[in-house]
Amino acid sequence: VLLAGRAAAWSGQHHARITEGAIAHLPQGVLRDFLANRGGELLEHARYEPLGTHYLYMDFVPGFPGTPLPRDLNVLLMAHGRALVDQTGVGPWWTRDLMEDLSIQMAGAGTAGEWTQLLSTAGYLAHYIEDLHNPLHLTKNGNGFLTGNAGVHTRYERDMTARYAEALVTTSRPNRCVYLGTDLVHRIF
């Protein structure tokens, strides 16, 4: 994690903006207050690209969409081999692992210092979730190389979002957000 580089995805400022919007949509309470007060640190972690693959080229996974992706990464590895899995990405599995790590850290945090330490995990988790909601992180042609449109990824993530940043609005209706318990998240994934 210490070797994480600058984020190219959604550009650093857009990752921070999306994460900031997510904090605003947390239910009132201690967690929201903590993140609102320490949000700068969380946003800083969300700006940087964490280690691992933050994408999943679903169109290059054999059998998809007819065959659902296995929930267990080891099943995918046994079916298709490490080389293919590394090429197609493991973003959803890394995201799940970060979510589990954050849950463990939060459950065990008893001091202000321990809560501060988990901000890096929370920021990296935010980054991964944001990247997996970018459609260009879900196709091998996400940068247009296969169709003669090289650079479309950067033009979309950095240039277009920067040009229209003020027009991009995070919903102002947090009461419409649905909060999933970890049991439900595990059943979905």
Side-chain angles (χ1 to χ4, degrees):
V1 170
L2 295 174
L3 300 175
R6 289 290 297 163
W10 290 119
S11 82
Q13 75 180 46
H14 299 302
H15 270 288
R17 182 183 172 115
I18 294 167
T19 303
E20 188 174 43
I23 294 169
H25 287 83
L26 288 171
Q28 293 290 339
V30 175
L31 180 60
R32 180 178 175 177
D33 293 344
F34 171 74
L35 292 176
N37 291 328
R38 303 300 292 269
E41 294 167 71
L42 176 67
L43 301 181
E44 195 57 34
H45 288 293
R47 290 175 188 260
Y48 291 94
E49 189 73 46
L51 295 176
T53 54
H54 56 278
Y55 56 86
L56 176 64
Y57 300 150
M58 293 187 299
D59 49 347
F60 275 73
V61 176
F64 189 82
T67 304
L69 292 171
R71 294 174 185 213
D72 185 338
L73 181 58
N74 291 320
V75 172
L76 187 68
L77 287 167
M78 287 188 328
H80 303 294
R82 169 65 66 189
L84 179 70
V85 171
D86 285 347
Q87 288 178 338
T88 58
V90 293
W93 294 275
W94 276 70
T95 302
R96 182 195 55 211
D97 291 348
L98 280 169
M99 183 192 72
E100 289 174 357
D101 290 348
L102 183 60
S103 295
I104 291 167
Q105 288 174 330
M106 290 176 80
T111 67
E114 290 169 335
W115 277 94
T116 299
Q117 287 177 344
L118 64 79
L119 288 172
S120 61
T121 305
Y124 297 146
L125 177 60
H127 189 105
Y128 265 67
I129 291 169
E130 292 155 12
D131 276 356
L132 289 172
H133 280 81
N134 177 340
L136 298 177
H137 282 253
L138 303 176
T139 177
K140 192 158 187 165
N141 194 33
N143 201 24
F145 288 120
L146 303 177
T147 55
N149 297 304
V152 69
H153 190 258
T154 301
R155 290 191 306 273
Y156 171 71
E157 287 188 337
R158 187 192 66 208
D159 302 343
M160 186 183 81
T161 54
R163 184 176 302 133
Y164 297 103
E166 295 308 313
L168 299 174
V169 183
T170 306
T171 181
S172 60
R173 300 187 307 195
N175 59 329
R176 304 236 4 228
C177 295
V178 176
Y179 299 97
L180 304 176
T182 56
D183 291 341
L184 183 56
V185 171
H186 286 281
R187 282 193 310 240
I188 292 171
F189 191 81

